């Protein structure tokens, strides 16, 4: 099966960089388009009393977007080192795995390559797993890699 469009969620972790490497290899093998995304989680309470000015809210979001863009730039550089062009997108939302699934659908991706930290036991129960949640909701193939 040849993949036409690979979606790679990144979060700045070493595991995500392993996913970038795998996606680059697949892209070169299949001639696939690649889109790297990073989810900027928006706090639903931003803008309420504890952040009581528009300027503070805008400053917070500006800084958050800049940090996320740095993560995407790092991934883009790693793809470039492998000779792969990549589109990047900042996705804003509240629930990371749902944003990944929705973005895959919107972009008509036919493969998601995602890193997993491999948490087990109580850590997995308490912290959850974005990769596991994506697997439970998405309708396209997912390659889960560990760092």
């Amino acid at each position: 099966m040849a993949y036409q469009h690979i979606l790679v969620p990144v979060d700045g972790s070493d595991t995500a960089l392993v996913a970038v490497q795998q996606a680059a290899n697949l892209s070169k093998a299949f001639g696939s388009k690649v889109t790297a995304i990073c989810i900027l989680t928006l706090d639903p309470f931003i803008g309420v009393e504890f952040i009581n000015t528009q300027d503070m809210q805008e400053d917070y979001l500006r800084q958050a977007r800049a940090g996320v863009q740095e993560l995407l730039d790092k991934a883009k550089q790693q793809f470039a080192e492998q000779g792969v062009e990549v589109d990047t997108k900042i996705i804003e939302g509240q629930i990371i795995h749902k944003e990944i699934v929705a973005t895959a659908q919107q972009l008509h991706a036919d493969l998601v390559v995602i890193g997993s930290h491999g948490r087990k036991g109580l850590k997995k129960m308490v912290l959850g797993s974005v990769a596991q949640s994506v697997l439970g909701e998405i309708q396209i193939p997912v390659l889960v890699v560990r760092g």
Side-chain angles (χ1 to χ4, degrees):
M1 171 179 230
Y3 298 106
Q4 302 300 310
H5 192 169
I6 301 171
L7 182 68
V8 187
V10 297
D11 62 4
S13 68
D14 291 341
T15 306
L17 295 178
V18 173
V20 165
Q21 181 63 48
Q22 289 296 321
N25 291 341
L26 289 167
S27 174
K28 290 190 289 188
F30 295 115
S32 310
K33 177 179 180 176
V34 179
T35 302
I37 63 170
C38 190
I39 312 302
L40 172 59
T41 53
L42 298 176
D43 187 331
F45 297 107
I46 193 166
V48 296
E49 292 181 22
F50 61 88
I51 299 180
N52 58 8
T53 71
Q54 185 69 25
D55 289 341
M56 288 176 69
Q57 180 179 348
E58 289 175 8
D59 187 51
Y60 165 79
L61 289 173
R62 187 174 25 260
Q63 288 180 29
R65 286 184 187 112
V68 167
Q69 188 61 56
E70 284 181 31
L71 298 177
L72 286 172
D73 290 346
K74 185 175 181 180
K76 191 171 192 169
Q77 179 182 349
Q78 187 175 351
F79 275 111
E81 290 169 1
Q82 299 300 315
V84 174
E85 286 188 37
V86 62
D87 291 332
T88 61
K89 292 185 179 297
I90 296 173
I91 307 298
E92 296 182 3
Q94 292 180 9
I95 303 172
I96 295 171
H97 77 274
K98 290 190 180 292
E99 297 301 333
I100 294 169
V101 172
T103 302
Q105 291 170 342
Q106 291 166 1
L107 296 177
H108 304 289
D110 53 3
L111 176 67
V112 174
V113 179
I114 189 170
S116 175
H117 299 283
R119 293 184 184 107
K120 296 180 179 169
L122 186 59
K123 282 185 181 179
K124 183 175 181 180
M125 285 176 42
V126 173
L127 299 174
S129 167
V130 171
Q132 187 67 39
S133 296
V134 168
L135 285 168
E137 293 192 23
I138 203 159
Q139 301 299 315
I140 62 173
V142 177
L143 174 59
V144 180
V145 298
R146 294 213 176 136

